Amino acid sequence: MAPEKIIIDTDPGVDDILALLLALSASAEEIELLLISLTFGNIDVENCLRNAVSLFHVLEKELEWRKAKGKPLGYESLRKCKPIVAVGAEQPLDEQILMADYFHGADGLGGVHTKAPHFTPEELFRHLFHSPSASSAPIPPENPTPLPHEALFTPSSSPSHLEILSQLKKNPPHTVTIVAVGPLTNLALAAAHDPETFLLAKEVVIMSGTIDMEGNVTPTAEFNAYADAVAAARVFALTSPKPSTTLPPCVSLKPYPDVLPSKLNLTIFPLDITTMHLLNEAECNSITSTLKEEGSPLAQWCGVFIHATFRKMEELYTAEAGATEKRVQDVDISLHDPLCVWYMIMRGVEGWKAVEGRDIRVDATGQWTRGMYVVDRRTRKKPTVEEMGEADEVEGDCDGWLHPLGGNRVRQMVESPEGYKTTFGRDMIRRIFL
């Protein structure tokens, strides 16, 4: 069976790094990671690049350590196919920038670069990457250190959105899935630049939004959707038979053509499903503690920011004045981003359940509802095209919610296979560290 070809678009904070490790530790038959596309989000894109390069630096040390100890190397996917790393958007399309450094730390990884500086490489090879803005472009050193031949990744001098399009062109149509676990700015830029090529993606799988749960940055919005609501709305619009019906106002990007060759196959993992897939601290420690004592670079590096995240969860949710009741998701780590990668690895397992074709729209302009996922909860029946005849809209309906050619067509994942809520965290840790 051929592996799933994937692109991961990410803003490497804690759960993003776990998602990347999960993909890289997959078997060669499960995943072929073509590209890691970096965007602003949890932190600024400069820190995202530092975290990504540090990840590969630590993995190099880990593979050396495992070989010296006579342990199985693992990480077949990584050893078979070195992914490209590209740097992308440093700010949202038309909105004020928001970052989640309050949760992930200023460096995105709970202060790992100061707490364990020996795991941060001295040379980040910034001169080999695209720089989002000329004003912030790094000055190449007089004698720049070349990337080692045996390096585990390939740097790209192209911006992320162009590298995404390049990968879609290089591979057969509808064979590459984009897994986006940060703000959707890079995807929106790629789709605006060349929508026909962007629609060659097999599927776009995103961790974004919330439907029936409370938001995590506002009462109604999840961070990734809020951080660039315009970008999210533009990506969602590509699922519509008529994208103009849900396309948001955008100063920086032009509208899509009236006629496109196909609709985007979009699958969303909102907070409703990701929040309940948990990593328990005791279970995590039972697998990693011995490895840290034995000298595993990966276990020691990850241990810093995983420990910091558990402490942050306690600080935010269980130490609040007047708190009388703890929910398990308030003291464990919710595996929001890794669940999307787990889906790519385990999508053939029976038990994944989704609601197909939901008209979910992203509010890009609301004063209090920016990034909110809006769904039509009315029970009115949508007429057929034949029943509509020459009418432009359904009587008593505004904004085309009931028009048969209007609105988005989104696949909302609502349930994982039985037992995954309690076993996924353990299985993920075992794959990454053993």
Side-chain angles (χ1 to χ4, degrees):
M1 184 176 65
E4 292 280 355
K5 295 176 180 284
I6 67 171
I7 293 167
I8 297 183
D9 189 78
T10 177
D11 54 335
V14 175
D15 56 336
D16 303 73
I17 289 291
L18 293 176
L20 288 170
L21 286 168
L22 182 58
L24 294 167
S25 65
S27 74
E29 291 74 32
E30 291 172 331
I31 293 292
E32 181 180 352
L33 179 55
L34 305 174
L35 167 67
I36 297 172
S37 163
L38 302 177
T39 178
F40 80 96
N42 291 315
I43 43 171
D44 61 274
V45 76
E46 176 78 5
N47 271 304
C48 288
L49 177 60
R50 178 167 66 162
N51 292 346
V53 174
S54 296
L55 167 65
F56 286 105
H57 179 69
V58 172
L59 284 176
E60 288 173 7
K61 291 180 175 293
E62 177 71 11
L63 292 176
E64 291 172 1
W65 178 80
R66 291 186 183 189
K67 185 176 181 180
K69 291 286 187 179
K71 294 177 178 288
L73 294 181
Y75 286 84
E76 284 186 11
S77 176
L78 172 61
R79 290 188 290 119
K80 184 174 181 180
C81 177
K82 294 195 304 185
I84 295 169
V85 176
V87 177
E90 61 179 344
Q91 61 187 21
L93 296 178
D94 288 340
E95 300 164 345
Q96 183 178 0
I97 193 168
L98 169 78
M99 292 187 291
D101 50 3
Y102 72 93
F103 184 83
H104 295 269
D107 65 358
L109 293 177
V112 71
H113 299 293
T114 53
K115 295 175 183 176
H118 53 290
F119 287 127
T120 303
E122 293 182 9
E123 176 60 75
L124 295 179
F125 309 101
R126 290 181 175 90
H127 58 284
L128 300 177
F129 293 91
H130 162 73
S131 180
S133 64
S135 61
S136 64
I139 300 174
E142 291 184 6
N143 298 301
T145 305
L147 192 70
H149 176 70
E150 67 277 9
L152 298 177
F153 70 96
T154 302
S156 173
S157 59
S158 296
S160 286
H161 72 281
L162 295 184
E163 195 63 66
I164 289 171
L165 294 171
S166 176
Q167 291 301 315
L168 292 174
K169 289 176 182 176
K170 288 178 181 177
N171 289 275
H174 310 298
T175 61
V176 177
T177 296
I178 303 171
V179 180
V181 293
L184 297 182
T185 315
N186 286 334
L187 275 63
L189 290 169
H193 186 83
D194 187 347
E196 289 80 7
T197 296
F198 187 76
L199 290 171
L200 294 177
K202 175 182 177 181
E203 185 179 8
V204 171
V205 176
I206 66 172
M207 189 284 117
S208 181
T210 182
I211 307 296
D212 295 314
M213 280 192 67
E214 68 273 17
N216 58 9
V217 290
T218 75
T220 61
E222 175 274 334
F223 173 82
N224 289 338
Y226 185 91
D228 196 341
V230 172
R234 285 185 64 93
V235 172
F236 276 51
L238 287 172
T239 69
S240 175
K242 194 174 180 181
S244 61
T245 62
T246 64
L247 201 63
C250 183
V251 175
S252 55
L253 297 179
K254 62 184 179 181
Y256 298 128
D258 291 334
V259 178
L260 289 169
S262 60
K263 299 193 299 291
L264 182 66
N265 181 17
L266 178 66
T267 299
I268 66 169
F269 280 75
L271 292 178
D272 307 64
I273 182 172
T274 62
T275 301
M276 304 307 172
H277 289 76
L278 302 167
L279 176 61
N280 175 267
E281 185 171 19
E283 199 164 56
C284 178
N285 289 341
S286 70
I287 296 172
T288 61
S289 293
T290 300
L291 292 171
K292 284 191 282 188
E293 293 172 2
E294 291 177 349
S296 162
L298 183 62
Q300 292 177 352
W301 185 65
C302 291
V304 174
F305 56 79
I306 290 176
H307 175 80
T309 305
F310 280 117
R311 301 291 76 77
K312 176 57 70 171
M313 293 297 291
E314 290 179 350
E315 176 189 331
L316 288 177
Y317 296 109
T318 66
E320 293 178 353
T324 58
E325 185 176 338
K326 299 179 184 179
R327 301 178 303 175
V328 65
Q329 63 264 30
D330 290 341
V331 292
D332 289 355
I333 297 176
S334 291
L335 300 172
H336 303 293
D337 298 345
L339 187 62
C340 295
V341 174
W342 194 238
Y343 166 70
M344 296 307 303
I345 295 172
M346 297 293 181
R347 64 185 307 163
V349 175
E350 186 177 353
W352 294 102
K353 295 182 181 178
V355 179
E356 305 286 346
R358 295 203 75 178
D359 185 2
I360 301 174
R361 309 186 189 187
V362 184
D363 189 345
T365 58
Q367 180 180 1
W368 308 118
T369 55
R370 166 181 158 187
M372 179 181 178
Y373 279 13
V374 182
V375 298
D376 191 350
R377 304 183 190 280
R378 299 173 297 178
T379 58
R380 294 184 62 183
K381 181 178 177 294
K382 185 176 289 192
T384 64
V385 173
E386 291 74 21
E387 290 171 337
M388 284 292 297
E390 299 296 324
D392 292 329
E393 59 183 44
V394 177
E395 184 178 1
D397 177 56
C398 297
D399 299 320
W401 285 93
L402 296 178
H403 196 288
L405 296 180
N408 298 325
R409 307 289 188 274
V410 177
R411 183 171 182 252
Q412 179 194 344
M413 194 61 63
V414 295
E415 192 172 321
S416 62
E418 185 177 359
Y420 275 18
K421 289 179 182 177
T422 55
T423 63
F424 169 43
R426 178 198 65 208
D427 292 345
M428 178 193 73
I429 291 297
R430 290 184 65 85
R431 276 181 171 248
I432 289 173
F433 294 104
L434 297 181

